[in-house]
Amino acid sequence: LAAEEEEETERVLRALTKEVLGSDRGEALLNATEALAELDLAAARAEHAEWLSAKPPRLFRVDDEIGTKSADAVRLPGMQHPLLLQPRLPSLPRGGKVGEDEEVDGWESMEDDARTKERDPRLDDEAMEEETPRVSTRFEATDVVPVDFCPPQNTRLVAITGPNTGGKTASLKALGLALLMARAGLHLPTDARETAAVPWTSRVLADLGDAQSLDLDGGLSTFSAHLTRLRRILAAARDTRDAVVVLLDEPGGGTDPSEGAALAAAVLRASADRSTLTVATSHYEEVKALAEGSAENAVAPFPGAANAAVEFDTATLRPTYRLLWGTSGESNALAVARGLGLEEALADAAERRWRRGRAANGVAADADAGEEGAGARLSVATLWERTHTLQYMLTPKGEPIPPPLPGAAGASAAAATSADAEEALAVFGSTDRRAALGAALPALRGKVCGDAPLPGVAEQTDAILSALSVLRVLTASPARVMALGRADAEEASNRAASVALPAEAFVSAKLSGKLVRQLGDTLSLCSGSLPAWCVALARTCPFLFPFETRQQLFYCTTFGLARALHRMHGQTENGGGGQDLRVGRLQRQKVRVSRERILESAVKVFDMAPAHKMVLEVEFFDEVGTGTGPTLEFYTLLSRELASRALGAWRDADARSVDETGAKEPVTAPHGLFPAPMRVDAGDAGDAAAPKSPGGLKRLDLFRLLGRVVGKAMQDSRLLDVGLSPAFYRAAVGGAALSLPDVAAVDPELGRTLARLDAAAKRVAALRASGAPEAEWRGVTVDGAAVADLCLAFTLPGDDAFELRPGGADVAVDAANLGEYVDAVVDATVGGGVARQLEAFRGGLRDICQPAALGVFSASELERVLCGEGQAWTPELLSECVTFDHGYSVASPPIQALMEVLCAYGPEEQRAFLRFVTGAPRLPPGGLAALHPRLTVVCKQPSGAAGGAAGADGAPISAGTTLADKDLPSAMTCASYLKLPPYSCVEVLRERLGYAVNEGVGSFDLS
C-alpha cells in the first residue's frame, strides 16, 4: 500500500509540474529556479569559506603556465585537513556535513570510502566524537597540524616516506581534497599569509585503502585488489589529455617486499610520465631512490622526482605529522609499535631479531656505522644490485686448482684438491663436454650472435636472449661452431659430439603459456593489437616456444585476419568446445589443369594475381574429382615435376644423362634438393633453360615458381612432396650464410674431401705465417699425397666445364693456392653459385608472404609443415584416430583385417595408401590425429549382393562376405573417405586394396 501511495504521489506531482511548465510562465519559472540555484550555491560556498576561515587559491591551467605535464606551481602552504577540522569547529550552517551523500564530478577514487578507515588514528571515529572540544576558528585548532605541500620546481613525482601513523596518508588525502575543493569553487584552509596555487585537474585518480574481499566467486586479495586499481589508474592517466593528479597509498604492498618494491618503482615512473603530478606514500628504499639516486648501484635520480618525509620525534618516539621536503624518512616500526602499546617483551625480541638480520648481511645496526671496508660483507640488496665479474678457467684433470686472483672473494679459503674440482664441475657433464664448451665460447664472439640487437626487445632482454642464442647454437650445431675456430672441422666435430642438449631444455613454459593466452584472444587478433614481443621473440628465439605454439602464431599472423579466424574456427570445431566463432567462407579460385602438362599449367596458375590471395582449388580435365583431393593431387604431381632431371636445376647424384633415365625422372638427392651452381660471371647465359626443360622454363623462373608454390601451400594448408635440403631452408628462408660445414650436408663426399683439403690449407698458412722454409710448407700432404700430385685444377668438382676463375681449367692447384681453391669450391657450391637461385625463390615467396615470417620454424620443422610427416601405425592408434561408420565398427572383421594390413605397411606403401585416400602422400604435422577431415572408413555394398544388410547365411554383410571379394575399394579424397567392401579375409583385402592403390593413382576414376 505504501508503494502504491508513493507512485500515486509521484504521478500527481509530475502532472502538476507538466501543467505549470506548459503555461506561459513556465520558461520564466525555469530560469528563476536556475538563478536561485546559482545564488544558493554561491552563498553556500561563501558560508563554507567563512566557517573554515579559508581563502581562495590561485587556479591555473597546466598548458597555459608551463606547457607540459608538470606541476611547477602547486603550492599548499599550511594546509589543514578539512575532515580533521570539522569536529572541532562550530556546526555548519543548516547542520549539514561536507560531502555527505554527495559525489563530486571528476573524483574517481579506487576505494569504497564507506568501508575504508584512515590509517592515521586522528581520523578514527573515536577521535571524532562529539566530546572533541570546539573552537571558534580553525586557527585555534592547534592539534590539527598544518601541512606544507610545496614541492620544488618541475616536480612530477613526490614520494612521502616516514613512520607508520605519521600522517603520510592524511597528507595524501589533504592534497586530494584540496584539488577537488578548488575544482568545485571552494576556498582552502591554507596559511592566510600566503597564496595557495593548484592546477585545474580534470581527474583525480586515487588508490587509497584496501578493497580486499572474501567472495567465493571472484574475491580479491590485498595485492590483487591494489594491482587491479593501479592498472585502471595507469590506463586512465594514459588516455586523458588534460591535467591528471594520481594519489597512491603504498603501491606494491601486500606481496614479497623485494618484488613489491620493484613494482612500486616501475608504477611510479610510468605514472609520473602520464600525469601532471603523482604523489605516493611508501616504506620502500627503491621508491626513495627515485629522487635520491644511488651512487653505489649506479642508479641516476628520476627527473622531476622529490622526496618528502613525515617528521618523527626521536625524543618522544612519536610522529609530529609535519612534512619535511628534500629528505626521506625511516619507518621506525619498532618504536611506533612500542608507542601503540605492544608488549615490551615482544618489541625487544623483534629488535634483537632485526639486529641479527642486519649483522648477518654485513650492515651495522647503529646509525653511525661507517662505510663498508675492503673486506666487509655485502648486504643482500647490495649483492643483487651490483655487477660482479667472475673469472674462471678449466683445470686439467689431475692438476691442483690454482690460487685465487688477488682481491677475489674467498681468498682466505683453503685451496681445494683436483678431486673437489671434479665433483663441483660434475653438473656440467663429462670432461670432454666441458672442454668442448670451453673451446667453443671464444669462437662465438661476433661470429654467431653478431652485434645487432634483437628487434622489439629491451636492452636487458636482448642480453639474456643473446646468451640463450649462444647456448642454443652450441647445442644445435656444435660442429659448425667449432669450425669457426682454427681447429679443422673433423677434429671440431669429434670434440663437440657430446655437447648437444635436447630441444626441450630451452622451452620456456611461462613464455609459452603467455603466448598461448595472447593467441587465444580473438579481439586482439581482430584489432591487430597483438603485443609486438609475440612475433619478435618467436622469430629471433624460436627455441623458447614449442613447435605447436609457433605454428599457431605463424598462421594467426602471416596470412591475414580472415585466414586466422578460419583456422581458429576449425580448431574450435575439431576440439568440440571453446569460443563460438562465426566466420564467412573464404573466397576460392577454381582452375582446371592438364594432368599431362602439370608444370606449364602451374606457371600460368601462379602468375594469376587472385591465386595469391584466394584459396586455390584445382580440377583435372576429363576427371570427375573436385575439391580438396584433386588439389592435393595437383600439389603432389607438381612437386615431382619441380624435381625432374630435365630442368637441370638441382644437384644430382645420378651421373646418367637425361636421355638414359627419362626427362620426368626426379633427380637423385638422398640429402635433399639443393640448387646446382650457376656461374656468377655468366650473366643471363647461366640462366638458360635446359634442353629438355618443359615449356623452356629457365632456372630462375623455376625457383621463383617454387617460392610461390611453397608460400601458397602453407597459406592454404596444403602438403607438398618436395624434399628440400635443410641447408636450402636455412639459406633461402633464414638468410643464413652457408659455409664449409654446409657442403657436407648437401654432398657428404665432397664435404669430407674439402674438409681434408681445408685442414691442409690451414697447416700451410700456419707454416708460412711462422716463417717456415718454402720446402717445408710445400711438403704438406693430403692423405699422404702432395697437393700438386692431386692433379686438381680450378674447376668445380664433377663439372670440368664450370671454371672457378677465368681460365681456371688451365690453373693447377698447389700448396700456395690450395686455400683459394677450397674457398672457391665452397662459394660455388653453397655461396655465390646459388645466390641468384635463392633470391629468386625468396622473390616468389614474397608474392605470398614475407620470408621472415617463416623464421619461427627450424629447417626440420619447415619440412614438417610443408611436406607433412610419416607415422608408425598401430591398431590402438588407428582405433583412436579413424572413424568407422555405415555398418562398420572397430570390432568388424573387415576393419580388423584393414588395421592388420595398414600396420604392416612400409614407408612407401603408406605413402601410396595416403595418396589414394587423401590426395597427399604424407600426413600433416601431428599425424593421423591432425588429419582434417578425419579419416573415415565405411562399408561399401558388394556388387554381388541383392541388397539388404545381411548375407545368405543371415550374418550381416559388414562382417565379411565372399560376394565382395571381386570388388575394389574407392575413395573420396576431398573428405578422406575410404569405401571398403566387406572382404571375406585379410589376404583378399590386402590384394584388392593394393591393386586399387596402385591403379588408382593416375586419376580419380575410383572416387
Side-chain angles (χ1 to χ4, degrees):
L1 183 61
E4 294 178 358
E5 184 178 330
E6 288 183 4
E7 291 179 1
E8 181 62 19
T9 302
E10 183 177 353
R11 187 188 65 78
V12 171
L13 291 175
R14 287 182 178 275
L16 292 174
T17 302
K18 184 176 182 181
E19 184 176 347
V20 171
L21 292 180
S23 64
D24 296 338
R25 299 183 179 182
E27 186 175 354
L29 284 174
L30 283 177
N31 293 336
T33 303
E34 292 177 359
L36 183 61
E38 291 290 336
L39 291 173
D40 185 60
L41 179 58
R45 288 170 176 160
E47 290 181 0
H48 184 268
E50 184 178 2
W51 173 72
L52 269 182
S53 302
K55 59 179 298 184
R58 180 174 64 88
L59 283 175
F60 63 90
R61 288 191 177 275
V62 175
D63 295 337
D64 294 342
E65 296 221 353
I66 52 181
T68 60
K69 281 195 172 183
S70 176
D72 292 63
V74 174
R75 287 186 58 81
L76 293 172
M79 174 73 182
Q80 291 178 290
H81 200 302
L83 294 182
L84 291 176
L85 289 171
Q86 179 178 330
R88 291 160 173 80
L89 294 175
S91 299
L92 275 169
R94 305 190 181 100
K97 281 189 176 181
V98 175
E100 182 177 353
D101 297 328
E102 293 182 3
E103 292 184 2
V104 181
D105 183 29
W107 171 257
E108 299 192 15
S109 174
M110 303 304 170
E111 65 169 340
D112 184 352
D113 290 329
R115 294 182 299 169
T116 305
K117 298 299 183 183
E118 173 57 56
R119 297 176 187 174
D120 192 326
R122 299 174 300 164
L123 299 185
D124 289 344
D125 292 339
E126 295 180 359
M128 295 183 179
E129 294 178 350
E130 290 300 326
E131 287 76 6
T132 303
R134 298 280 179 170
V135 295
S136 58
T137 65
R138 69 178 177 91
F139 303 112
E140 300 175 19
T142 55
D143 57 337
V144 181
V145 180
V147 173
D148 293 320
F149 194 88
C150 301
Q153 292 291 315
N154 302 314
T155 297
R156 294 184 294 149
L157 172 63
V158 175
I160 303 177
T161 56
N164 300 92
T165 71
K168 299 188 299 297
T169 305
S171 300
L172 199 66
K173 289 190 173 182
L175 172 62
L177 282 173
L179 293 170
L180 293 176
M181 288 173 66
R183 190 175 185 275
L186 298 177
H187 293 191
L188 304 182
T190 56
D191 191 337
R193 296 167 296 180
E194 300 185 48
T195 300
V198 293
W200 175 267
T201 56
S202 62
R203 306 177 83 176
V204 177
L205 307 172
D207 177 19
L208 306 172
D210 188 358
Q212 181 188 37
S213 66
L214 299 180
D215 298 338
L216 294 178
D217 184 15
L220 294 175
S221 67
T222 297
F223 176 71
S224 59
H226 278 290
L227 196 61
T228 300
R229 295 185 299 197
L230 286 175
R231 177 177 57 81
R232 291 169 53 196
I233 287 172
L234 291 176
R238 178 195 58 207
D239 298 336
T240 303
R241 296 184 178 180
D242 298 328
V244 175
V245 173
V246 176
L247 308 177
L248 304 177
D249 189 18
E250 297 190 15
T255 186
D256 176 82
S258 59
E259 295 185 58
L263 178 64
V267 167
L268 292 179
R269 285 173 176 267
S271 178
D273 288 335
R274 302 177 185 184
S275 64
T276 303
L277 177 66
T278 295
V279 184
T281 64
S282 182
H283 293 278
Y284 291 138
E285 294 296 328
E286 286 81 354
V287 174
K288 302 175 186 177
L290 289 175
E292 299 171 354
S294 175
E296 179 183 16
N297 301 322
V299 177
F302 182 74
N307 276 338
V310 287
E311 190 177 33
F312 187 78
D313 191 338
T314 57
T316 62
L317 299 182
R318 294 184 63 85
T320 66
Y321 306 113
R322 297 187 182 277
L323 205 56
L324 305 178
W325 288 93
T327 183
S328 57
E330 298 294 332
S331 295
N332 295 306
L334 295 177
V336 173
R338 283 189 171 92
L340 293 176
L342 183 68
E343 295 179 22
E344 194 65 27
L346 292 179
D348 291 342
E351 184 171 359
R352 288 194 299 271
R353 180 178 293 273
W354 172 70
R355 291 182 181 276
R356 284 199 304 269
R358 289 175 64 85
N361 292 326
V363 180
D366 297 331
D368 58 351
E371 296 182 359
E372 294 178 354
R377 287 172 292 182
L378 299 174
S379 68
V380 174
T382 304
L383 173 66
W384 292 109
E385 290 175 357
R386 281 184 174 179
T387 299
H388 305 274
T389 302
L390 304 180
Q391 303 187 42
Y392 60 92
M393 63 186 71
L394 291 175
T395 302
K397 189 173 183 179
E399 296 185 10
I401 293 180
L405 297 174
S412 60
T417 62
S418 176
D420 296 331
E422 289 296 325
E423 182 178 355
L425 294 173
V427 68
F428 296 107
S430 64
T431 303
D432 292 339
R433 177 170 179 164
R434 297 196 301 273
L437 285 169
L441 285 171
L444 290 173
R445 186 181 300 276
K447 295 184 178 181
V448 174
C449 295
D451 298 324
L454 298 175
V457 297
E459 182 179 354
Q460 296 87 342
T461 307
D462 176 60
I464 296 172
L465 296 180
S466 295
L468 286 174
S469 299
V470 169
L471 293 175
R472 177 61 177 153
V473 172
L474 277 172
T475 58
S477 306
R480 177 181 175 85
V481 175
M482 298 295 184
L484 294 174
R486 293 186 176 276
D488 62 82
E490 192 169 352
E491 178 187 356
S493 178
N494 294 333
R495 293 172 62 190
S498 62
V499 176
L501 290 175
E504 295 78 11
F506 292 91
V507 173
S508 170
K510 288 187 177 181
L511 285 175
S512 300
K514 289 180 180 291
L515 184 55
V516 169
R517 288 192 291 273
Q518 291 288 353
L519 295 177
D521 187 353
T522 309
L523 184 60
S524 294
L525 292 176
C526 292
S527 61
S529 57
L530 193 70
W533 68 264
C534 296
V535 175
L537 204 56
R539 290 183 182 178
T540 53
C541 296
F543 51 81
L544 295 175
F545 307 96
F547 167 74
E548 294 76 12
T549 304
R550 286 180 279 117
Q551 185 181 24
Q552 179 77 349
L553 174 70
F554 172 77
Y555 282 107
C556 285
T557 59
T558 305
F559 300 115
L561 176 61
R563 291 181 182 268
L565 292 178
H566 265 271
R567 183 176 180 85
M568 296 177 68
H569 177 56
Q571 292 172 341
T572 302
E573 287 186 333
N574 295 338
Q579 51 189 326
D580 188 15
L581 293 174
R582 300 300 181 196
V583 293
R585 179 179 174 87
L586 291 174
Q587 288 186 306
R588 299 175 182 271
Q589 177 72 41
K590 291 189 176 183
V591 297
R592 284 191 176 185
V593 300
S594 169
R595 188 180 285 270
E596 303 301 323
R597 300 173 62 86
I598 291 292
L599 192 60
E600 296 92 321
S601 299
V603 172
K604 295 179 180 179
V605 168
F606 288 101
D607 276 341
M608 299 166 54
H612 299 168
K613 302 297 181 183
M614 302 180 186
V615 177
L616 184 63
E617 285 192 357
V618 179
E619 299 176 5
F620 291 100
F621 286 117
D622 303 325
E623 295 184 21
V624 296
T626 184
T628 304
T631 303
L632 291 175
E633 174 78 2
F634 166 75
Y635 279 111
T636 301
L637 295 175
L638 178 58
S639 299
R640 184 179 178 88
E641 293 275 349
L642 289 171
S644 67
R645 303 190 69 206
L647 297 171
W650 305 102
R651 296 184 65 88
D652 194 353
D654 193 340
R656 294 177 297 172
S657 66
V658 175
D659 293 332
E660 295 177 289
T661 60
K664 292 194 174 183
E665 188 71 17
V667 299
T668 302
H671 304 285
L673 295 174
F674 194 82
M678 289 173 52
R679 288 185 56 181
V680 179
D681 58 352
D684 294 337
D687 187 29
K692 294 189 177 183
S693 175
L697 190 64
K698 296 182 179 180
R699 288 194 189 185
L700 296 185
D701 292 336
L702 170 72
F703 283 100
R704 191 172 295 105
L705 172 64
L706 177 62
R708 291 174 177 174
V709 172
V710 167
K712 191 61 182 175
M714 300 187 78
Q715 183 185 52
D716 291 351
S717 297
R718 310 302 190 198
L719 293 179
L720 299 178
D721 191 26
V722 52
L724 296 171
S725 167
F728 180 87
Y729 285 122
R730 287 200 304 273
V733 176
L738 303 183
S739 57
L740 179 58
D742 297 296
V743 177
V746 174
D747 189 336
E749 184 61 33
L750 177 61
R752 286 191 291 269
T753 300
L754 289 178
R756 292 195 293 270
L757 294 177
D758 184 61
K762 289 180 177 179
R763 291 197 297 271
V764 170
L767 290 173
R768 297 183 70 176
S770 64
E774 181 178 349
E776 183 177 353
W777 58 261
R778 284 191 177 275
V780 172
T781 61
V782 178
D783 294 338
V787 177
D789 295 339
L790 298 177
C791 300
L792 297 175
F794 271 79
T795 57
L796 189 67
D799 187 0
D800 293 339
F802 193 113
E803 294 184 334
L804 301 175
R805 61 165 64 172
D810 300 325
V811 180
V813 177
D814 56 18
N817 58 20
L818 179 60
E820 298 178 26
Y821 173 76
V822 172
D823 291 342
V825 174
V826 171
D827 181 67
T829 305
V830 296
V834 297
R836 296 169 66 190
Q837 298 95 303
L838 295 177
E839 182 54 38
F841 173 87
R842 283 191 288 267
L845 185 60
R846 287 191 195 98
D847 291 339
I848 312 296
C849 66
Q850 290 301 316
L854 277 64
V856 298
F857 301 119
S858 65
S860 59
E861 291 169 343
L862 271 174
E863 176 74 13
R864 286 182 63 194
V865 173
L866 189 61
C867 301
E869 59 186 16
Q871 189 179 33
W873 288 343
T874 62
E876 295 77 15
L877 177 67
L878 294 174
S879 300
E880 181 180 347
C881 299
V882 180
T883 299
F884 306 106
D885 205 351
H886 290 245
Y888 280 151
S889 69
V890 71
S892 300
I895 296 302
Q896 292 292 316
L898 174 66
M899 290 194 293
E900 179 181 341
V901 171
L902 294 182
C903 292
Y905 274 171
E908 291 304 318
E909 292 171 308
Q910 187 183 95
R911 285 170 55 89
F913 172 78
L914 288 173
R915 184 177 174 186
F916 175 72
V917 177
T918 68
R922 301 181 76 179
L923 293 167
L928 271 176
L931 183 63
H932 182 71
R934 185 182 174 94
L935 179 59
T936 302
V937 181
V938 300
C939 182
K940 183 178 182 180
Q941 188 74 12
S943 59
D953 56 357
I957 292 272
S958 60
T961 174
T962 56
L963 298 175
D965 287 352
K966 293 184 179 181
D967 294 337
L968 289 174
S970 59
M972 294 173 56
T973 55
C974 58
S976 302
Y977 209 76
L978 176 63
K979 303 174 185 177
L980 183 70
Y983 295 116
S984 59
C985 62
V986 65
E987 289 78 12
V988 174
L989 186 148
R990 180 182 293 109
E991 186 274 330
R992 295 277 83 189
L993 181 61
Y995 181 84
V997 167
N998 292 328
E999 294 299 321
V1001 72
S1003 68
F1004 284 89
D1005 295 330
L1006 291 176
S1007 295

